[in-house]
Amino acid sequence: MGLIKKFNLIFGSIFLAGFLIIGFIFYAVEMGKAKYEAIMEAEVVLENAFAAWRYTAEEVEPLFREKICGSEDVFHPQAVPAYAANRMFKFIDEKHLEYTYREVAANPRNLDNLPTSWEVEILRHYVNHPEEKQMVYTREKKGEEYLYITYPIRITDEKCLKCHTDAETAPKNLVKKYGPVNGMNWKLGEVVGAHLVSVPMSIPKQKAVESLFTMFISLIALFAVMLVSINFMISRWLVRPLSRITRITENISLGKNAGEGLPEIHSREMKKLAQAIRRIDISLKKAMDKIKGKSKED
């Protein structure tokens, strides 16, 4: 096997190993970035929901209770923070069906907010781990991967208990609409439910794949340019001069006239080799001349 073939084999093997290692590292980094981007997007969605909650609780609910209703026994769902957040997302769903927002509770007032089997596990986790403030995980839905981010719903405001303690203290219209059991018997400091928002992983993953593809193409192109350049340099500055020097050396060793001068050498090491061969050629010629001279005298 020739020198260039051996070099290409070794260099190609090193590149392939490095390519696989770098590819694995970059894949992990890009997938991590995709997940982080999805988390940031989900948190923005949740912040919008929390903003609707806060606005409704601080400005809308007092207005309904004090200025419009005149009585706390009158129930208006528009004054409920959860209602406002869910209504806002219904408008968002009209254009962005891939984004979902839910508020689930173990004992919700609106039965539409009953948790599914896997959502029950989330509620159970928050109840068993009251210090937990957030959960992030991925889950497939309709054949597509989604990232879910959840926060517990904890009763921290006593105002909430006016409607959720028992049927006697809750507004009569509320009890009439939802019944005396649903959404009752909540306690201060208790985790009663969870906010859940899901965002698709397809877009950030597509960006990650495109970034990986660009990186891989760039590495392959760089490798190809390096391989061609190095092959050219080895062939021009090493293989060709060595081949020519080898032919000349073989002719000298056989006592033949070299017939051609040594090639022009640019490498310091190769110059030393050429100089050594010239000295050997000169020495051999002198030795042969002496031998011929002695033969004539005899």
Side-chain angles (χ1 to χ4, degrees), residues 123-131:
L123 295 180
R124 185 178 292 118
H125 179 84
Y126 280 130
V127 171
N128 295 333
H129 301 83
E131 75 285 353

Side-chain angles (χ1 to χ4, degrees), residues 78-226:
Q78 292 80 7
V80 179
Y83 176 87
N86 281 286
R87 286 294 296 170
M88 182 189 72
F89 269 89
K90 282 189 177 180
F91 292 124
I92 294 176
D93 285 345
E94 292 177 1
K95 290 188 177 181
H96 303 281
L97 296 175
E98 67 274 18
Y99 294 89
T100 62
Y101 172 78
R102 271 174 57 79
E103 294 177 12
V104 297
N107 180 25
R109 175 150 292 148
N110 187 341
L111 296 182
D112 290 339
N113 297 328
L114 276 171
T116 60
S117 57
W118 62 273
E119 291 170 341
V120 168
E121 295 300 321
I122 295 173
L123 295 180
R124 185 178 292 118
H125 179 84
Y126 280 130
V127 171
N128 295 333
H129 301 83
E131 75 285 353
E132 196 82 54
K133 296 181 180 180
Q134 182 193 75
M135 287 177 62
V136 178
Y137 58 97
T138 56
R139 184 173 180 270
E140 278 199 6
K141 183 172 64 175
K142 296 180 180 179
E144 186 174 349
E145 187 178 10
Y146 282 78
L147 181 136
Y148 284 79
I149 183 169
T150 70
Y151 289 88
I153 298 176
R154 190 186 304 275
I155 304 301
T156 58
D157 191 346
E158 291 185 0
K159 293 180 182 179
C160 298
L161 299 179
K162 292 181 180 180
C163 297
H164 292 281
T165 301
D166 52 53
E168 295 179 1
T169 59
K172 294 179 181 179
N173 286 355
L174 185 149
V175 176
K176 183 178 179 181
K177 183 174 182 178
Y178 295 106
V181 177
N182 297 336
M184 299 299 181
N185 301 315
W186 291 6
K187 298 177 182 179
L188 190 67
E190 180 185 20
V191 175
V192 296
H195 304 276
L196 298 96
V197 64
S198 68
V199 296
M201 289 289 291
S202 56
I203 296 176
K205 275 195 169 184
Q206 183 180 352
K207 291 180 180 178
V209 170
E210 289 174 355
S211 179
L212 283 171
F213 181 77
T214 302
M215 187 271 293
F216 288 152
I217 293 298
S218 301
L219 281 178
I220 292 172
L222 178 62
F223 169 75
V225 171
M226 289 178 60

